[in-house]
Amino acid sequence: MAAKLTIIGSGPGGYVAAIRAAQQGTQVTIIEDDEVGGTCLNRGCIPTKTLIASAEALESTRRAADFGIEIPGEVGYNHAKILDRKNKVVETQVKGIRSLFRSWDIRLIEGRGVLHSAEAVRIVQKDGTTLDVKSDRVIIATGSRPARLPLFPFDGETVITSNEAVQLTSIPKSICIVGAGVIGCEFAFIYRTLGSDVTMVEMLPRVLSTEDEEMSGLIAREMKKAKIKIHAGVKIEAVEKTSDGIVRSRLSDGKEVSSEMVLVSIGRAMNTEEIGLEGAGVKKGKRGEIAVNEKMETSVPGIYAIGDVTGTVMLAHVASHQGLVAVENALGGDAAMDYAVIPSGIFTMPEVGSVGLREHEAVEKGIAVNVGRFPFRGLAKAHAMGSITGMAKVISDHTTDKVLGVHICGPHATDLVHEGALAISTGTTARELGRMIHAHPTLAEAVMEAAEDTHGMAIYVPRPSS
Amino acid sequence: MNPDDIKYHRDHSWVRVEGKKATIGITDYAQQQLGDIVYVDLPEVETEADADSELSEIESTKATSPILSPVSGVVGEVNEDLADSPEIINEDPYGNGWLMVLDMSDPSELNDLMSKSEYEAYLKEVEEK
Ligand SMILES: Cc1cc2nc3c(=O)[nH]c(=O)nc-3n(C[C@H](O)[C@H](O)[C@H](O)COP(=O)(O)OP(=O)(O)OC[C@H]3O[C@@H](n4cnc5c(N)ncnc54)[C@H](O)[C@@H]3O)c2cc1C
């Protein structure tokens, strides 16, 4: 059992690891170069979700008349106040983590940590002084940052990354978003709702290309409804800032997009530079990630790595879970990371929640499956809420009937998907999922109905025409 | 209510022909079956369509339904007003609620479509089933 643990980086990987280790009596030192909470709390999950909450509030206020609510005058927003609210939410969360650290006697050192060996980390503190911390085990949780390509003339004002996008003091009249992955699509809906003219450019043939194709299709449809323009299957060839303050992006199909701002969301670069990996002998993988095994061990005994820097699945909850696994192993246990059931949420309007096998993956892997679908517009609750767009989709094994994938696009999809995660992780069959009593009227009935539909037995679906 | 200057497709779309141009919409029966229409996914101009292929999709509060093209041709124009006011289809399916204009590639396909009286007889059959 390790008595002393040092963690470099305090994102959702590092801070969760720190707390879990301290709960078990370990003396924990955590080093943070920037702000506690990492990307997730300061520049990622939480700021974006807070901005989306404002966008959604605006959208429902605009639709108030549909609900019989009369609002005199025009509905507007104050961007400075939206930003204030976001900053307050972030601040509260950051303070919360700091106070958890204090309550568990976790030593937080603010500065830049550089690995010397499994036993020593050198810290260049904010005031320039250095400090060496000795410990029995080290966990690297340095995270990631927006990937930048020389093609884009970044200036933080007109050509930006998500780091600036969560801080914008005003909303551009027009914005071109390069990369229609999770981050790009979330910002597209935020800016569009706040009044920007949004154009998306995606190299791959569809938006949200890692999702089930039907979910991508539903989101593309919602973008079309919201008048978000999509150029898919094309590359950006050149980006040029003009003197009139307009940025011109030239696309590989010959078209051109002119916008006030360009947001580049094309992926994440891992923070592996100048943290002493080479000196300590920690090996990197092909994509520049810190190579780890399923126990989160690096090539050097006693040194673990977790989170985005391992380049596995770049999600906050994966980073946190890897943190738990690393701590268990660092303290002499024997835990392994299992990536089979990872629910993920995309906070578009509406949301997408997914877990497990996608339908196209079943085809690629030659797995015989049953697919059940149920549209939210078939649910009384969705009508009551005025949110009828989207569907739940259940994919089950044709032979064993076990649930293999659940994909939901629609209201509260990111919460609803967890029923699917539980079903998959417990080996529940589609029949069992469909026969479990679901409360009426709830959105969760869509999951029940989609499960029943894998056997053609959904109740709120008319008899198929012969 | 159903006009007699148009031709009807068994999947409840209609065509009004002027020369080689075919204006396309959905019938009053289709509009009633769908209920309140909330969105029409119209194709882009210059999209090619074959007779009986999916031209568009209509979302209503009840269902999402494909609209089959009654004839073959190339989309020459779409009804832009539907983007913001899809309910026009419910209000005026044979007039302002038109969906698009196709430049027909094979006008002889019109012979496969129904007249008003044939369509109404067909609707009776559908209803009685
Ligand atoms: C816009 C956006 C939205 C996102 N939304 C979601 C979402 O909704 N859900 C989700 O699951 N994920 C989301 N993510 C991804 C999520 O933020 C990351 O997966 C998660 O933050 C990874 O956690 P981590 O602990 O590995 O690294 P990070 O959160 O990146 O934290 C690493 C920390 O280490 C510090 N650090 C780096 N080097 C050093 C050093 N040498 N010394 C000291 N400190 C150092 C950094 O300052 C940073 O604070 C989003 C990301 C972005 C950019």
Side-chain angles (χ1 to χ4, degrees), chain A residues 51-52 54-56 58-59 62 76-79 82 170-173 187-198 349:
Chain A
L51 294 174
I52 285 162
S54 286
E56 282 174 346
L58 178 62
E59 191 56 28
R62 282 179 181 149
Y77 68 89
N78 179 326
H79 188 66
I82 291 180
S170 67
I171 294 300
K173 278 206 191 68
F187 279 115
F189 282 97
I190 296 173
Y191 292 138
R192 182 68 199 121
T193 309
L194 297 180
S196 265
D197 192 353
V198 179
M349 293 161 75

Side-chain angles (χ1 to χ4, degrees), chain A residues 7-16 30-49 52 109-115 121-124 140-146 161-163 165-166 182-184 186-187 265 267-269 271-276 306-310 313-320 322 343-347:
Chain A
I7 300 171
I8 311 178
S10 70
Y15 76 69
V16 166
I30 188 161
I31 307 164
E32 176 54 60
D33 190 24
D34 192 347
E35 184 53 277
V36 169
T39 304
C40 176
L41 230 52
N42 298 288
R43 301 172 291 280
C45 332
I46 305 307
T48 49
K49 269 79 264 182
I52 285 162
I109 302 181
E110 301 193 49
R112 204 177 154 70
V114 179
L115 206 60
V121 175
R122 171 157 297 177
I123 303 153
V124 182
I140 307 169
T142 49
S144 66
R145 60 183 187 276
T161 68
S162 62
N163 283 355
V166 294
V182 175
I183 295 175
E186 290 185 356
F187 279 115
S265 49
R268 306 278 301 170
N271 292 331
T272 53
E273 298 86 2
E274 293 167 44
I275 54 172
I306 59 174
D308 281 7
V309 76
T310 64
V313 182
M314 291 200 176
L315 290 171
H317 42 288
V318 174
S320 299
Q322 289 176 329
S344 69
I346 304 175
F347 299 82

Side-chain angles (χ1 to χ4, degrees), chain B residues 80-92:
Chain B
E80 306 281 356
D81 294 341
L82 299 177
D84 291 318
S85 315
E87 68 280 1
I88 312 175
I89 301 173
N90 293 115
E91 290 156 8
D92 190 9

Side-chain angles (χ1 to χ4, degrees), chain A residues 396-407:
Chain A
S396 57
D397 189 292
H398 181 71
T399 318
T400 65
D401 198 39
K402 283 188 178 164
V403 178
L404 301 177
V406 173
H407 307 280

